[in-house]
Amino acid sequence: MPDEIHVTVIEQSTQRGVAGVAVTTGDGIELTDADGRCAIAVDPQARFVWISCPQGKRAVGDFYRPLPADEAVFELADELASSGEAARLVQFTDTHVVGPGDRVAAPDVAEALDALVSESTPDLIIASGDLTNLGTDAELAELRSGLGGLETPLFPMFGGHDGNSERRIEGNQPSFTLNWESCFGPTYYSFDWAGRHIAVWPNEEHFFSEAERERKKRWLDADLAPHAHKGNTILVIHTPPSGTEFIDQMHSLGVSLILHGHWHSSKAFTHTGVTVVATPPLCFGGIDTSPRGYRVVEWMGSTTPPTRVVALGAGRLQPASPEGIGPFRLAWAKAVATDSDRYFTPAHRAVPAVSGERLLIGGGCADAGAVQCRAASTGELIWTADLESAPRNSVTIVDTRVLALAMTGALYSLRVDDGSVEWRTDLEGSPGRWLYTAPVHADGIVYAGSKAGFGAFRAETGECTWYTELEQNDVWPCYASPLIAEEVIVLLVSRRGLLALSRIDGRIAWETDIDVEYYYAAPVRVGEDVVTGGNRQGLARLSLSDGAIVWQEECLAGLYPAGMAADDEHLYVATPSGVVQALDPGTGTEQWRVNAGRDLLDMTPYERGVSSLLASPTRVGSWLIVGGNDGVLRLIGPASGEVRAEAALGAPVAAPAQAIDETGFALSTWDGRLLRYDSTAT
């Protein structure tokens, strides 16, 4: 391979050289001179030479050339969309293309992109990795076919799944990126667009050789440094930042926004001036039950651009607030999420909480973190408390306090009268936690955490009395909040089992190895036992005293319980197959079942175009209330399973209803409405 390569960059229309264009072979960077020329050293590891396209320009053909070569010529043409100071960028991620007959094929990607472009009219699109499932040549060809009809400029990025087929070959050594490179060229690169520098930099280091890791880190530092003074660079990675140290480094190099995917979830937080956001997958529901969708980033000028997650197809929803359903009449309906109020988001999976004459709601599924307090009688807003990140589950009320757990790991105590922060404490690993659980309380102690670890905190001060580390991180997080018993806290730890921690010191009192996954419902108490999802299509009943299995049966109409509730006579289970069942809590024998309709949005993990349920059934007086992803609220006879009334709300109902005084209930809808219904029965 030559020691250096001579590069020329010219303007297509005039054939004149273009000065100041950054040229690299993946390590150092050189700028073209007044004639558009430069010579750059070629490392033996280098497989390409490429350019960083300036603002207002695009490469004619590819922006890269394969090595070895003695020289390379690049032509630039005008790109009007990138020439101003305003732009709309759309990020999609984690398509996991396989091929015909499997979960995602070329037509599925093409259809999703058609909808994305129609809904958001982007100036540019970034695809942030795991675009195929294994990165085979066939999958990459399928991906290219799915992207083929796109006219909007697209910038793809390598993710670990795109190299898995190479990694799994016995004896193969990294870098595991050759299949990707044969199809899309360099795995990392940058360009300028409408006043922003945008760097695409895959960060799953174990897919790169040690030499490649060092080269691409040197490139990133050299690429970002000239733009650091602007403080508005956008960095695209695939997995979440490795820690706050990395975020701090990026801040020092002028990065203000980090986009990533990987966890099939939605998350947003800001650390040292850098906003970090995760985006759900495009072609199926996220593992956090975020609807499949994409992220829109819009900017004008140099300020940090706002971002928002958009659910694919949400524009087709037709929200309605029916005046009545069975014996219940609408008392009020309020939009708690509006286009003008970016500080609050749809409630998604969180149950509204009741404190006297006040309703408290958190649990957003988008970016902003907040808790709202509304008058229970009228729905009027009393206060909004902004948090550092969205609480993804319900808030917990303890006397005059509202306890909220942000998904980053920040635990808040808010005053119920005005929403002011009484105290805040950060769980270990914050802000890198992925928490979807609600805090629970007993005897002056608040318990909060998830798979990585769980702690006990004094309700009055937030002081930590004990913290138990369970796993290395919150990989495969879930909404299954802890169940509090007399002496223990029972936790569902996905892909491990059911654990009971001592309420006194956090030690493991018992642990039962049972097949539980991250999309399972929280365990429920039945007498002196606890019922949980177990093997696929099964439930298990365990003794609270020692975790011994009382019974374990394949009794579900779906693969797992998405929501559960229990009373003295029935165990109610909502499933991802769109079925709600009543089971005998003593044996698991089915008593009745009711089917829901087709989902309005694709919210079930890995699925689209199905019927599914997420909300746990709620008992209100003599009624069982079940909301569905089909947007229908059903009133069911608890003993008979007869659907006695139903009403279409026009948006998914993914959160359980909250009973109020046994005569009414409050309900939140995915699109951001809060409704109260009262019984007319005398």
Side-chain angles (χ1 to χ4, degrees), residues 27-97:
D27 196 335
I29 291 175
E30 295 289 341
L31 300 179
T32 56
D33 62 19
D35 296 321
R37 301 177 184 277
C38 73
I40 187 168
V42 177
D43 187 286
Q45 300 285 333
R47 293 184 288 278
F48 299 96
V49 59
W50 66 93
I51 62 172
S52 181
C53 285
Q55 177 168 321
K57 299 295 181 181
R58 62 174 174 82
V60 177
D62 293 327
F63 69 96
Y64 59 90
R65 301 287 185 269
L67 295 174
D70 294 316
E71 61 179 6
V73 178
F74 295 91
E75 286 189 323
L76 296 179
D78 290 338
E79 178 61 80
L80 295 179
S82 82
S83 61
E85 293 187 351
R88 180 181 295 132
L89 178 158
V90 165
Q91 173 213 11
F92 75 84
T93 191
D94 293 87
T95 49
H96 289 272
V97 168

Coordinates of all heavy atoms in Angstrom, one line a residue, residues 27-97:
D27 N -7.8 8.2 10.4 CA -7.0 8.5 11.5 C -6.7 10.0 11.5 O -7.6 10.8 12.0 CB -5.6 7.7 11.4 CG -4.9 7.7 12.7 OD1 -5.1 8.6 13.5 OD2 -4.1 6.8 12.9
G28 N -5.7 10.5 10.9 CA -5.4 11.9 10.8 C -6.3 12.6 9.8 O -7.0 11.9 9.0
I29 N -6.4 13.9 9.8 CA -7.2 14.7 8.9 C -6.3 15.7 8.2 O -5.5 16.4 8.9 CB -8.4 15.3 9.6 CG1 -9.4 14.3 10.1 CG2 -9.1 16.4 8.8 CD1 -10.5 14.8 11.0
E30 N -6.5 15.9 6.9 CA -5.8 16.9 6.2 C -6.9 17.8 5.5 O -7.9 17.3 5.1 CB -4.9 16.4 5.1 CG -3.7 15.6 5.7 CD -2.7 16.5 6.4 OE1 -2.7 17.7 6.1 OE2 -1.8 16.0 7.2
L31 N -6.6 19.0 5.3 CA -7.5 19.9 4.6 C -7.0 20.2 3.2 O -5.7 20.4 3.0 CB -7.7 21.3 5.3 CG -8.2 21.2 6.8 CD1 -8.3 22.6 7.4 CD2 -9.6 20.5 6.8
T32 N -7.9 20.3 2.2 CA -7.4 20.6 0.9 C -7.0 22.1 0.8 O -7.5 22.9 1.5 CB -8.6 20.4 -0.1 OG1 -9.7 21.1 0.3 CG2 -9.0 18.9 -0.2
D33 N -6.0 22.3 -0.1 CA -5.5 23.7 -0.3 C -6.4 24.5 -1.3 O -7.5 24.0 -1.6 CB -4.0 23.6 -0.8 CG -3.9 22.9 -2.1 OD1 -4.9 22.8 -2.9 OD2 -2.7 22.5 -2.5
A34 N -5.9 25.6 -1.7 CA -6.7 26.5 -2.5 C -7.0 25.9 -3.9 O -8.0 26.2 -4.5 CB -5.9 27.8 -2.8
D35 N -6.2 24.9 -4.3 CA -6.5 24.2 -5.5 C -7.4 22.9 -5.3 O -7.6 22.1 -6.3 CB -5.2 23.8 -6.2 CG -4.4 25.0 -6.7 OD1 -5.1 26.0 -7.1 OD2 -3.2 25.0 -6.5
G36 N -7.8 22.7 -4.1 CA -8.6 21.5 -3.8 C -7.8 20.2 -3.6 O -8.3 19.1 -3.8
R37 N -6.5 20.4 -3.3 CA -5.6 19.2 -3.3 C -5.0 19.0 -1.9 O -4.8 20.0 -1.2 CB -4.5 19.4 -4.3 CG -4.9 19.5 -5.8 CD -3.7 19.7 -6.7 NE -4.2 20.0 -8.1 CZ -4.5 19.0 -9.0 NH1 -4.4 17.7 -8.6 NH2 -4.9 19.3 -10.2
C38 N -4.7 17.8 -1.6 CA -3.9 17.5 -0.4 C -3.3 16.1 -0.6 O -3.8 15.3 -1.4 CB -4.7 17.6 0.9 SG -5.9 16.2 1.1
A39 N -2.3 15.8 0.2 CA -1.7 14.5 0.3 C -1.8 14.0 1.7 O -1.6 14.8 2.7 CB -0.2 14.5 -0.1
I40 N -2.3 12.8 1.9 CA -2.5 12.3 3.3 C -1.9 10.9 3.5 O -1.9 10.1 2.6 CB -4.1 12.3 3.6 CG1 -4.3 11.9 5.1 CG2 -4.8 11.3 2.7 CD1 -5.7 12.1 5.5
A41 N -1.3 10.7 4.6 CA -0.7 9.5 4.9 C -1.7 8.4 5.0 O -2.8 8.5 5.4 CB 0.1 9.6 6.3
V42 N -1.2 7.2 4.6 CA -2.1 6.0 4.5 C -1.5 5.0 5.5 O -0.4 4.5 5.3 CB -2.2 5.4 3.1 CG1 -3.0 4.1 3.1 CG2 -2.7 6.4 2.1
D43 N -2.3 4.7 6.5 CA -2.0 3.7 7.5 C -2.2 2.3 6.9 O -3.1 2.1 6.1 CB -2.9 3.8 8.7 CG -2.5 2.9 9.9 OD1 -2.7 1.7 9.8 OD2 -1.9 3.4 10.9
P44 N -1.4 1.3 7.2 CA -1.6 -0.1 6.6 C -3.0 -0.6 7.0 O -3.5 -1.5 6.2 CB -0.5 -0.9 7.3 CG 0.6 0.1 7.6 CD -0.1 1.4 8.0
Q45 N -3.6 -0.1 8.1 CA -4.9 -0.6 8.4 C -6.0 0.0 7.6 O -7.2 -0.5 7.6 CB -5.2 -0.3 9.9 CG -4.2 -0.9 10.9 CD -4.4 -2.4 11.1 OE1 -5.5 -2.9 10.9 NE2 -3.4 -3.1 11.4
A46 N -5.7 1.1 6.9 CA -6.8 1.9 6.3 C -7.4 1.1 5.1 O -6.6 0.5 4.3 CB -6.2 3.2 5.8
R47 N -8.7 1.2 4.9 CA -9.4 0.5 3.8 C -10.1 1.5 2.9 O -10.6 1.2 1.8 CB -10.4 -0.5 4.4 CG -9.7 -1.7 5.1 CD -10.7 -2.7 5.5 NE -11.5 -2.3 6.7 CZ -11.1 -2.4 7.9 NH1 -9.9 -2.8 8.2 NH2 -11.9 -2.0 8.9
F48 N -10.1 2.8 3.3 CA -10.8 3.8 2.5 C -10.1 5.1 2.7 O -9.4 5.4 3.8 CB -12.3 4.0 3.0 CG -13.1 2.8 2.8 CD1 -13.4 1.9 3.9 CD2 -13.7 2.5 1.6 CE1 -14.1 0.8 3.8 CE2 -14.5 1.3 1.5 CZ -14.7 0.5 2.6
V49 N -10.3 6.0 1.8 CA -10.0 7.4 1.9 C -11.4 8.1 1.7 O -12.2 7.7 0.9 CB -9.0 8.0 1.0 CG1 -9.4 7.8 -0.5 CG2 -8.7 9.5 1.2
W50 N -11.7 9.1 2.6 CA -13.0 9.8 2.4 C -13.0 11.2 2.8 O -12.0 11.7 3.4 CB -14.1 9.0 3.2 CG -14.0 9.0 4.7 CD1 -14.6 9.8 5.5 CD2 -13.4 8.0 5.5 NE1 -14.4 9.4 6.8 CE2 -13.7 8.3 6.8 CE3 -12.6 6.8 5.2 CZ2 -13.2 7.5 7.9 CZ3 -12.1 6.1 6.2 CH2 -12.4 6.4 7.6
I51 N -14.0 11.9 2.5 CA -14.1 13.4 2.8 C -15.2 13.7 3.7 O -16.2 12.9 3.8 CB -14.3 14.2 1.5 CG1 -15.6 13.8 0.8 CG2 -13.1 14.0 0.6 CD1 -15.9 14.7 -0.4
S52 N -15.2 14.8 4.4 CA -16.3 15.3 5.2 C -16.9 16.4 4.3 O -16.3 17.5 4.1 CB -15.8 15.9 6.5 OG -16.8 16.4 7.3
C53 N -18.2 16.2 3.9 CA -18.8 17.1 3.0 C -19.1 18.5 3.7 O -19.7 18.5 4.7 CB -20.1 16.5 2.4 SG -19.9 15.2 1.2
P54 N -18.7 19.6 3.0 CA -19.0 20.9 3.6 C -20.4 21.2 3.5 O -21.2 20.6 2.8 CB -18.1 21.8 2.8 CG -17.3 21.0 1.9 CD -17.9 19.6 1.8
Q55 N -20.8 22.2 4.3 CA -22.2 22.7 4.3 C -22.5 23.2 2.9 O -21.8 23.8 2.2 CB -22.3 23.9 5.3 CG -23.7 24.5 5.2 CD -23.9 25.5 6.4 OE1 -23.5 25.2 7.5 NE2 -24.6 26.6 6.2
G56 N -23.8 22.9 2.5 CA -24.2 23.3 1.2 C -23.7 22.4 0.0 O -24.0 22.7 -1.1
K57 N -23.0 21.3 0.3 CA -22.5 20.5 -0.7 C -22.8 19.0 -0.4 O -23.0 18.6 0.7 CB -20.9 20.6 -0.8 CG -20.5 22.0 -1.2 CD -20.9 22.4 -2.5 CE -20.4 23.8 -2.9 NZ -20.9 24.3 -4.2
R58 N -22.8 18.2 -1.5 CA -22.9 16.7 -1.3 C -21.9 16.1 -2.3 O -21.5 16.7 -3.3 CB -24.3 16.3 -1.7 CG -24.8 16.6 -3.1 CD -26.1 16.0 -3.4 NE -26.6 16.4 -4.7 CZ -26.2 15.8 -5.9 NH1 -25.4 14.8 -5.9 NH2 -26.7 16.3 -7.0
A59 N -21.5 14.9 -2.0 CA -20.6 14.2 -2.9 C -21.4 13.6 -4.1 O -22.5 13.2 -3.9 CB -19.9 13.0 -2.1
V60 N -20.8 13.8 -5.3 CA -21.4 13.2 -6.5 C -20.9 11.7 -6.4 O -19.7 11.4 -6.5 CB -20.9 13.9 -7.7 CG1 -21.4 13.2 -9.0 CG2 -21.3 15.3 -7.7
G61 N -21.9 10.8 -6.3 CA -21.5 9.4 -6.0 C -21.1 9.2 -4.6 O -21.6 9.9 -3.7
D62 N -20.2 8.3 -4.3 CA -19.8 8.0 -2.9 C -18.9 9.1 -2.4 O -18.1 9.7 -3.1 CB -19.1 6.6 -2.9 CG -20.1 5.5 -3.2 OD1 -21.3 5.6 -2.9 OD2 -19.6 4.5 -3.8
F63 N -18.9 9.3 -1.0 CA -18.0 10.2 -0.4 C -16.7 9.5 0.0 O -15.9 10.1 0.7 CB -18.7 10.8 0.9 CG -18.9 9.8 2.0 CD1 -17.9 9.7 3.0 CD2 -20.0 8.9 2.0 CE1 -18.1 8.8 4.1 CE2 -20.1 8.0 3.0 CZ -19.2 7.9 4.1
Y64 N -16.5 8.3 -0.4 CA -15.3 7.5 -0.1 C -14.8 6.8 -1.3 O -15.5 6.6 -2.3 CB -15.6 6.5 1.0 CG -16.7 5.5 0.6 CD1 -16.4 4.3 0.0 CD2 -18.0 5.8 0.9 CE1 -17.4 3.4 -0.3 CE2 -19.0 4.9 0.5 CZ -18.7 3.7 -0.1 OH -19.7 2.8 -0.4
R65 N -13.5 6.4 -1.2 CA -12.9 5.6 -2.3 C -12.1 4.5 -1.6 O -11.5 4.7 -0.6 CB -11.9 6.4 -3.1 CG -12.5 7.6 -3.9 CD -13.4 7.2 -5.0 NE -13.9 8.3 -5.8 CZ -15.0 9.0 -5.5 NH1 -15.8 8.6 -4.5 NH2 -15.4 10.0 -6.3
P66 N -12.2 3.3 -2.2 CA -11.4 2.2 -1.5 C -9.9 2.3 -1.7 O -9.5 2.9 -2.7 CB -12.0 0.9 -2.2 CG -12.5 1.4 -3.6 CD -13.0 2.8 -3.3
L67 N -9.2 1.7 -0.8 CA -7.8 1.6 -0.9 C -7.4 0.2 -1.1 O -8.1 -0.7 -0.8 CB -7.1 2.1 0.4 CG -7.3 3.6 0.8 CD1 -6.8 3.9 2.1 CD2 -6.7 4.5 -0.3
P68 N -6.2 -0.1 -1.7 CA -5.1 0.9 -2.0 C -5.4 1.7 -3.3 O -6.1 1.2 -4.2 CB -3.9 0.0 -2.2 CG -4.5 -1.3 -2.7 CD -5.8 -1.5 -2.0
A69 N -4.8 2.9 -3.3 CA -4.9 3.7 -4.5 C -3.8 4.8 -4.4 O -3.4 5.1 -3.2 CB -6.3 4.3 -4.6
D70 N -3.4 5.3 -5.5 CA -2.4 6.4 -5.5 C -3.0 7.7 -5.4 O -2.4 8.7 -4.9 CB -1.5 6.3 -6.7 CG -0.6 5.1 -6.7 OD1 -0.1 4.7 -5.7 OD2 -0.5 4.4 -7.8
E71 N -4.2 7.8 -6.0 CA -4.9 9.1 -6.0 C -6.4 8.9 -5.9 O -6.9 7.8 -6.3 CB -4.5 10.0 -7.2 CG -4.8 9.3 -8.5 CD -4.4 10.2 -9.7 OE1 -3.8 11.2 -9.5 OE2 -4.7 9.8 -10.8
A72 N -7.1 9.9 -5.6 CA -8.6 9.9 -5.6 C -9.1 11.3 -5.9 O -8.6 12.3 -5.4 CB -9.1 9.4 -4.2
V73 N -10.2 11.3 -6.7 CA -10.8 12.6 -7.0 C -12.3 12.5 -6.6 O -13.0 11.5 -6.8 CB -10.8 12.8 -8.6 CG1 -11.5 14.1 -8.9 CG2 -9.3 12.8 -9.0
F74 N -12.7 13.6 -5.9 CA -14.1 13.7 -5.4 C -14.7 14.9 -6.1 O -14.1 16.0 -6.1 CB -14.2 13.8 -3.9 CG -13.7 12.6 -3.1 CD1 -12.3 12.5 -2.8 CD2 -14.6 11.6 -2.8 CE1 -11.9 11.4 -2.1 CE2 -14.1 10.5 -2.1 CZ -12.8 10.4 -1.7
E75 N -15.9 14.8 -6.5 CA -16.7 15.9 -7.0 C -17.8 16.3 -6.0 O -18.4 15.4 -5.4 CB -17.3 15.6 -8.4 CG -16.3 15.5 -9.5 CD -17.1 15.4 -10.9 OE1 -18.1 14.7 -10.9 OE2 -16.6 16.0 -11.9
L76 N -18.0 17.6 -5.9 CA -19.1 18.1 -5.0 C -20.1 18.9 -5.8 O -19.7 19.6 -6.8 CB -18.5 19.0 -4.0 CG -17.5 18.5 -3.0 CD1 -17.0 19.5 -2.0 CD2 -18.1 17.3 -2.2
A77 N -21.4 18.6 -5.5 CA -22.5 19.4 -6.1 C -23.2 20.1 -5.0 O -23.0 19.9 -3.8 CB -23.4 18.4 -6.8
D78 N -24.1 21.1 -5.4 CA -24.8 21.8 -4.4 C -25.9 21.0 -3.7 O -26.5 20.1 -4.4 CB -25.5 23.0 -5.1 CG -24.5 24.1 -5.6 OD1 -23.4 24.1 -5.0 OD2 -24.9 24.8 -6.5
E79 N -26.0 21.2 -2.4 CA -27.1 20.6 -1.6 C -27.8 21.7 -0.9 O -27.4 22.1 0.2 CB -26.5 19.6 -0.6 CG -27.5 18.9 0.3 CD -28.5 18.1 -0.5 OE1 -28.2 17.0 -0.9 OE2 -29.6 18.6 -0.7
L80 N -28.8 22.2 -1.5 CA -29.5 23.4 -1.0 C -30.0 23.2 0.4 O -30.1 24.1 1.2 CB -30.6 23.8 -2.0 CG -30.1 24.3 -3.4 CD1 -31.3 24.7 -4.2 CD2 -29.1 25.5 -3.3
A81 N -30.5 22.0 0.7 CA -31.1 21.7 2.0 C -30.2 21.9 3.1 O -30.6 22.2 4.3 CB -31.7 20.3 2.0
S82 N -28.9 21.8 2.9 CA -27.9 21.9 4.0 C -27.2 23.3 4.0 O -26.3 23.5 4.8 CB -26.8 20.9 3.8 OG -25.8 21.2 2.9
S83 N -27.6 24.2 3.1 CA -26.9 25.5 3.0 C -27.3 26.6 3.9 O -26.6 27.6 4.1 CB -27.0 26.0 1.5 OG -28.4 26.2 1.2
G84 N -28.5 26.5 4.6 CA -28.9 27.6 5.4 C -28.6 27.4 6.9 O -27.5 26.8 7.2
E85 N -29.4 27.9 7.8 CA -29.2 27.8 9.2 C -30.3 27.0 9.9 O -30.2 26.8 11.1 CB -29.1 29.2 9.9 CG -27.9 30.0 9.4 CD -27.8 31.3 10.2 OE1 -28.8 31.6 11.0 OE2 -26.8 32.0 10.1
A86 N -31.2 26.5 9.1 CA -32.4 25.7 9.7 C -32.4 24.3 9.0 O -32.2 24.2 7.8 CB -33.7 26.5 9.6
A87 N -32.8 23.3 9.8 CA -33.0 22.0 9.2 C -33.8 21.1 10.1 O -34.0 21.4 11.3 CB -31.6 21.4 9.0
R88 N -34.4 20.1 9.5 CA -35.1 19.1 10.2 C -34.5 17.8 9.9 O -34.5 17.3 8.8 CB -36.6 19.1 9.8 CG -37.4 18.0 10.5 CD -38.9 17.9 10.1 NE -39.5 19.2 10.5 CZ -40.3 19.9 9.6 NH1 -40.5 19.5 8.4 NH2 -40.9 21.0 10.1
L89 N -33.9 17.2 10.9 CA -33.2 15.9 10.8 C -34.1 14.9 11.5 O -34.7 15.1 12.5 CB -31.9 16.0 11.6 CG -31.0 14.7 11.7 CD1 -29.5 15.1 12.0 CD2 -31.4 13.8 12.8
V90 N -34.2 13.7 10.8 CA -34.9 12.6 11.4 C -34.0 11.4 11.6 O -33.2 11.1 10.7 CB -36.1 12.1 10.5 CG1 -36.6 10.8 10.9 CG2 -37.2 13.2 10.6
Q91 N -34.0 10.9 12.8 CA -33.2 9.7 13.1 C -34.1 8.5 13.3 O -35.1 8.5 14.0 CB -32.4 9.9 14.5 CG -31.7 8.6 15.0 CD -31.7 8.6 16.5 OE1 -32.4 9.3 17.2 NE2 -31.0 7.6 17.1
F92 N -33.8 7.4 12.6 CA -34.4 6.1 12.9 C -33.3 5.1 13.2 O -32.1 5.3 12.9 CB -35.3 5.7 11.7 CG -34.6 5.1 10.5 CD1 -34.2 3.8 10.4 CD2 -34.4 5.9 9.4 CE1 -33.6 3.3 9.3 CE2 -33.8 5.4 8.3 CZ -33.4 4.1 8.2
T93 N -33.7 4.0 13.8 CA -32.7 3.1 14.3 C -33.3 1.7 14.4 O -34.5 1.4 14.4 CB -32.2 3.6 15.7 OG1 -31.0 2.9 16.1 CG2 -33.3 3.5 16.7
D94 N -32.4 0.7 14.5 CA -32.7 -0.7 14.9 C -33.8 -1.3 14.1 O -34.8 -1.9 14.6 CB -33.0 -0.7 16.4 CG -31.8 -0.4 17.3 OD1 -31.6 0.8 17.5 OD2 -31.1 -1.3 17.7
T95 N -33.6 -1.3 12.8 CA -34.6 -2.0 11.9 C -34.4 -3.5 11.9 O -35.4 -4.2 11.7 CB -34.5 -1.4 10.5 OG1 -33.1 -1.5 10.1 CG2 -35.0 0.0 10.4
H96 N -33.2 -4.0 12.2 CA -33.0 -5.4 12.3 C -33.6 -6.2 11.1 O -34.3 -7.2 11.2 CB -33.6 -6.0 13.6 CG -32.8 -5.6 14.8 ND1 -31.7 -6.2 15.3 CD2 -32.9 -4.5 15.6 CE1 -31.2 -5.6 16.3 NE2 -32.0 -4.5 16.6
V97 N -33.2 -5.7 9.9 CA -33.7 -6.4 8.7 C -33.2 -7.8 8.6 O -32.0 -8.1 8.8 CB -33.2 -5.6 7.4 CG1 -33.5 -6.4 6.2 CG2 -34.0 -4.3 7.4

